[in-house]
Amino acid sequence: DRTLSTITNAPSGSSGTLTVIQDAVGGHLLTLDAGYNTAAGDVAATVDMGPNELAQLSWFTHDSVNFYIWSTV
């Protein structure tokens, strides 16, 4: 299990995509740091994937302080 820390030193208007790949065992959790805002408006979320699954986590900041993140499994 891991926690994804909030991105630092990203200029205003920055965006990106992270790829997360679960190992062959699966069931590991990726928890988002409270510095992220999810599409549902929550400040933390957990991505739970099965064995060998892949997720794309896209993020955006408009002010270098607030980070918005969403996932597609």
Side-chain angles (χ1 to χ4, degrees), residues 2-6 18 30-34 36 57 69:
R2 297 281 188 251
T3 298
L4 182 63
S5 298
T6 305
L18 304 170
L30 176 64
T31 302
L32 302 177
D33 185 76
Y36 288 106
L57 301 176
I69 193 165

Side-chain angles (χ1 to χ4, degrees), residues 30-71:
L30 176 64
T31 302
L32 302 177
D33 185 76
Y36 288 106
N37 297 295
T38 63
D42 299 329
V43 293
T46 301
V47 177
D48 184 11
M49 303 180 308
N52 300 312
E53 285 187 332
L54 177 137
Q56 297 288 324
L57 301 176
S58 297
W59 62 271
F60 170 77
T61 181
H62 62 89
D63 60 4
S64 300
V65 175
N66 295 293
F67 288 84
Y68 301 89
I69 193 165
W70 58 98
S71 68

Side-chain angles (χ1 to χ4, degrees), residues 16-40:
T17 302
L18 304 170
T19 301
V20 179
I21 303 171
Q22 189 69 258
D23 67 11
V25 175
H28 304 291
L29 300 177
L30 176 64
T31 302
L32 302 177
D33 185 76
Y36 288 106
N37 297 295
T38 63

